[in-house]
Every structure is written in C-alpha cells, then in structure tokens.
C-alpha cells in the first residue's frame, strides 16, 4: 500500500491531543456536595457504569480519528482489476502434425472449433490478433475487435511443414510493439527481466502447439525477449499420447505441404497420411510460461482445449493497478466515531426515578357501621288489617 499525500499523516496527532485534553478535563473537574434526603434515591437515579463502559466509547472515538487521519493521506492499494484494453495474440500451430486424427476429426479442426468459441465468447471490444506458425511464423490478423474477420481467418487455416515456436513468440512480440509504445520490438535492446513479480503489460501471448520446435530460434530464447518486455506467454500443449494417422482435408493443406499416402483416403475427399505422430514438448512449454509469468496448460481433446481457451480471459484481463481506497478509510473511521458517540450517549442517559407511594401507619380498626333495618315486605304506607277475633268472643 502506498500514500499519495504522506504529509497528511500529521493528522494522527489528533489522537495524543485527545488524550491530553481528557487528562486536562479530569484535572479541572470539581466535586460538588449536594444535600439529599435519601441516598437511595440518588443511587437509583444514577446509572451503573463500570470501568469498561467508560473507556469503550473513548477508544472507539480515538480509533475513528486515527483511521480518518490515515485516510487523509489518500492510501492506494495494488489490486487486480479488469483491463478491457488488453490485446491477446493467439499463435496457432499449423504444422503437418496438426492433421493427426487422435483428436476427432483431426487436431487442426479441433483447434479451429475451440478458437472460434474463444473468439465468440469474448466481450465486445476485446482485441485479438492471430499468428500462425509452421516452418515460419506470420501475423495473419492484426489485433482487432472485429470478430467476423477473426472467424474467417480461423476457418481458412492451412497446414504446412515444420514447427517454429520461438519465431511465433517473436512475431507476437513485434505485433504488440506496433500499437503498444511501451513494448520495444525485438530488434531493439530491452532490459533483462525474469518475468517473476513486478508489473506486466496488459497485452498477452497465447501459444497453441502440438509438437516441439524444429526450426528457427529456440523457444526459451524467444521467451526471454518477451519477459524483458514484461509480456506474459501462456502455452497450451495439444494432443494425446496415442499414435494416429494424419488426415487433413484439401482445404486444410497448403501448396508446400507434402504427405506420403498410406493408401487410406481422408475424410471429405481429403488426403491420407503415413501415420506420423508428434507429442507436445511439455518441458519447454512449461519453461517458457514460467519465465514470462504465464502458465502452461495441457489439453488432450476438443473439450479440454475449449475449456482452457474460455478460462484464459479471466487470468489475462486481470491487471494489478494502484487503486485509491480513501473512501473505505473514511467509512470505517466514521463508523468508529459514530459508535463511540452513540455508546457514550446511551450509557450516560438519565434514568427516571419512580415517585414513592405514601403508605399510612397502622392503627386501631374503625368501628363497624350500624346494620340497616330490615325492609318490610308490604308496600310503603299500607297498615296491617285489624284483628276482629276479640270482638267475636265478647
């Protein structure tokens, strides 16, 4: 992590100043005597505050000030970010061994299918350059985002004799140097580099081959030129270890290709091969990838090759750049400050004291109330009837 304004770290002095101000306030504090009728009421009114409740808000506030002061220096972090301006140079082997039928229908057809899916799956605007190599290497399509042009060139690939892997790497480097001024061409001296660590150029080279270098410059020597220019080279070893006849169609064979017929007709009216077999030089391809900071992949069939090519953009398009993270420091610092102030206000809030209820002193029980007279069954105002029995006896 780096700092854009390192002098802004002077704001960190706010922390010791805060401690000094707190110490000064405590020295000036005076205790006041208050006469109260009941100590119990005072204890109920004052909230209980332990030692950690007094210190946590202060330390949260102080930590927030420190983080905010560090954010004022505008820190930057080196993080991987997508780079849509990167160009990918796809170098495809078109040597005669690509007619091997160990991968159906043959290696060249499988490579064409995987390359088409690779181009079609890329995001719009991604630039792809196409390099083909056999005995010599040539730039077939300059880096472009025109998918139709790339697909047409891939469908028109033709095989020839020889395999010049090193020359393919140098041709890709020169193609990148045409549009990237930070990359010198191969004819210009470049400072040596190991390819391990440091910043790489956004442009990348992908080499797809099924054999070993037979002509031209050594691949490791060419990889040193790419590493000196901070260009990564990803290598793909294609094909299985099972010998199989070499059969290509008429459209897949160039005029300088020579095959010896074995009497078997190729598919779609093509030519038969003599059963030649070549295996990818995994050791050299791995050394090339390691020297330049790339990676080596092994693909034995069409599905594996397609998967490797489709996964490449995730690794190629990510570049490490310095990104300012001041906003994160401001967010964390603000959260600390707000948490400290919030806890201080919450733990120091006043508590309402309930009003005491007066209870009368115990005394003698009051006399019972007089009983009410029994109510008459007759209606009110009506007298009892006279007794006429006395008159009859007399």
């Amino acid at each position: 992590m780096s700092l854009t304004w390192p002098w802004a770290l002077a704001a960190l002095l706010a922390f010791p100043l805060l401690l000094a101000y707190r110490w000064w306030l405590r020295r000036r504090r005076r205790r006041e005597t208050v006469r109260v009728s009941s100590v119990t009421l005072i204890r109920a009114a004052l909230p209980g505050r332990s030692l950690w409740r007094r210190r946590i808000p202060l330390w949260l506030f102080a930590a927030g000030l420190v983080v905010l002061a560090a954010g004022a220096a505008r820190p930057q972090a080196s993080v991987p970010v997508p780079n849509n301006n990167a160009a990918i140079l796809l170098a495809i082997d078109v040597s005669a061994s690509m007619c091997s039928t160990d991968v159906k229908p043959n290696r060249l057809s499988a490579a064409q299918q995987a390359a088409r899916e690779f181009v079609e799956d890329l995001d719009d605007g991604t630039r792809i350059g196409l390099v083909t190599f056999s005995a010599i290497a040539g730039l077939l399509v300059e880096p472009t985002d025109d998918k139709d042009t790339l697909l047409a060139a891939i469908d028109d690939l033709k095989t020839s004799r020889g395999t010049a892997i090193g020359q393919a790497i140098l041709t890709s480097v020169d193609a990148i140097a045409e549009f990237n001024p930070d990359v010198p061409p191969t004819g210009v001296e470049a400072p040596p580099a190991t390819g391990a660590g440091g910043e790489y150029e956004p442009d990348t080279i992908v080499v797809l081959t099924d054999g070993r270098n037979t002509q031209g410059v050594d691949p490791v020597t060419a990889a040193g030129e790419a590493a000196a220019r901070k260009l990564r080279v990803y290598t793909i070893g294609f094909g299985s270890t099972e010998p199989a006849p070499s059969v290509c169609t008429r459209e897949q064979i160039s005029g300088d290709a020579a095959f010896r017929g074995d009497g078997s007709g190729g598919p779609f009216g093509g030519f038969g091969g003599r059963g030649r077999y070549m295996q990818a030089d995994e050791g050299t391809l791995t050394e090339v990838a390691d020297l330049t900071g790339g990676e080596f992949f092994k693909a034995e069939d069409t599905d594996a090759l397609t998967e490797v090519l489709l996964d490449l953009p995730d690794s190629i398009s990510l570049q490490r750049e310095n990104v300012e993270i001041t906003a994160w420091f401001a967010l964390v610092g603000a959260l600390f400050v707000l948490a400290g102030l919030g806890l201080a206000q919450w733990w120091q809030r006043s508590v309402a004291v309930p009003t005491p209820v007066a209870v009368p002193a115990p005394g003698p029980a009051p006399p019972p109330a007089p009983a009410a007279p029994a109510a008459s069954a007759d209606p009110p105002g009506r007298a009892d009837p006279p007794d006429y029995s006395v008159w009859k006896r007399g």
Side-chain angles (χ1 to χ4, degrees):
M1 187 174 66
S2 59
L3 300 176
T4 305
W5 295 345
W7 50 266
L9 291 178
L12 292 174
L13 295 175
F15 179 65
L17 291 177
L18 175 65
L19 295 180
Y21 177 70
R22 181 173 180 268
W23 174 83
W24 180 72
L25 286 180
R26 295 186 65 180
R27 288 291 301 264
R28 291 193 56 186
R29 184 177 303 170
R30 296 291 184 267
R31 296 183 177 179
E32 296 182 359
T33 303
V34 180
R35 294 190 178 187
V36 295
S37 58
S38 176
V39 179
T40 305
L41 297 179
I42 298 300
R43 290 179 178 176
L46 294 177
R49 296 183 61 201
S50 58
L51 183 61
W52 62 272
R53 282 195 175 188
R54 293 195 302 268
R55 291 183 176 178
I56 284 181
L58 175 64
W59 286 108
L60 284 176
F61 186 78
L65 292 182
V66 172
V67 175
L68 290 175
R74 298 181 60 185
Q76 293 183 346
S78 179
V79 297
V81 296
N83 191 333
N84 295 328
N85 295 325
I88 302 175
L89 268 295
L90 181 60
I92 300 180
D93 188 350
V94 291
S95 61
S97 60
M98 291 293 285
C99 290
S100 176
T101 57
D102 59 333
V103 181
K104 302 300 180 182
N106 58 32
R107 293 180 180 179
L108 181 60
S109 297
Q112 288 174 312
Q113 177 182 343
R116 282 193 296 267
E117 294 189 24
F118 170 67
V119 172
E120 293 173 350
D121 187 70
L122 289 173
D123 297 333
D124 294 336
T126 304
R127 294 181 300 175
I128 302 294
L130 185 61
V131 174
T132 57
F133 63 95
S134 51
I136 58 175
L139 179 63
L140 195 60
V141 179
E142 295 182 355
T144 178
D145 58 357
D146 187 354
K147 293 185 178 182
D148 293 335
T149 302
L150 290 168
L151 294 176
I154 292 173
D155 292 337
D156 197 40
L157 295 182
K158 300 181 183 299
T159 58
S160 185
R161 293 175 295 179
T163 305
I165 300 176
Q167 188 61 41
I169 296 175
L170 296 180
T171 302
S172 301
V173 171
D174 289 335
I176 294 174
E178 288 293 330
F179 61 87
N180 188 345
D182 295 331
V183 177
T186 55
V188 178
E189 290 292 336
T194 60
E199 299 295 332
Y200 294 100
E201 294 294 331
D203 309 301
T204 312
I205 301 172
V206 179
V207 178
L208 191 161
T209 181
D210 70 333
R212 63 186 66 249
N213 192 76
T214 60
Q215 291 177 330
V217 64
D218 182 70
V220 177
T221 303
E225 295 292 325
R229 292 159 176 80
K230 296 295 183 180
L231 294 175
R232 292 173 296 175
V233 179
Y234 290 81
T235 56
I236 304 174
F238 184 46
S240 67
T241 58
E242 297 295 331
S246 295
V247 180
C248 272
T249 65
R250 293 179 183 272
E251 293 77 13
Q252 293 176 331
I253 301 176
S254 63
D256 62 343
F259 294 94
R260 293 182 179 180
D262 59 354
S264 58
F268 314 108
F271 295 97
R274 61 180 179 85
R276 62 178 301 177
Y277 155 76
M278 291 189 67
Q279 183 178 355
D281 187 359
E282 297 184 10
T284 300
L285 296 178
T286 302
E287 186 176 358
V288 168
D290 293 341
L291 181 62
T292 58
E295 188 175 355
F296 167 73
F297 300 94
K298 175 68 176 176
E300 295 185 353
D301 52 34
T302 306
D303 293 338
L305 179 59
T306 303
E307 182 179 358
V308 169
L309 287 176
L310 293 181
D311 290 342
L312 276 177
D314 294 336
S315 302
I316 292 175
S317 60
L318 289 179
Q319 300 292 320
R320 301 196 69 87
E321 294 183 0
N322 289 329
V323 178
E324 188 171 333
I325 54 176
T326 304
W328 292 104
F329 276 76
L331 176 61
V332 174
L335 290 177
F336 277 139
V337 171
L338 293 177
L341 294 177
L343 289 178
Q345 293 296 325
W346 176 258
W347 286 336
Q348 293 181 4
R349 71 189 187 281
S350 59
V351 180
V353 180
T355 304
V357 179
V359 179
S376 173
D378 296 332
R382 182 176 178 180
D384 293 337
D387 188 8
Y388 295 99
S389 61
V390 178
W391 296 347
K392 291 180 180 180
R393 287 196 302 269

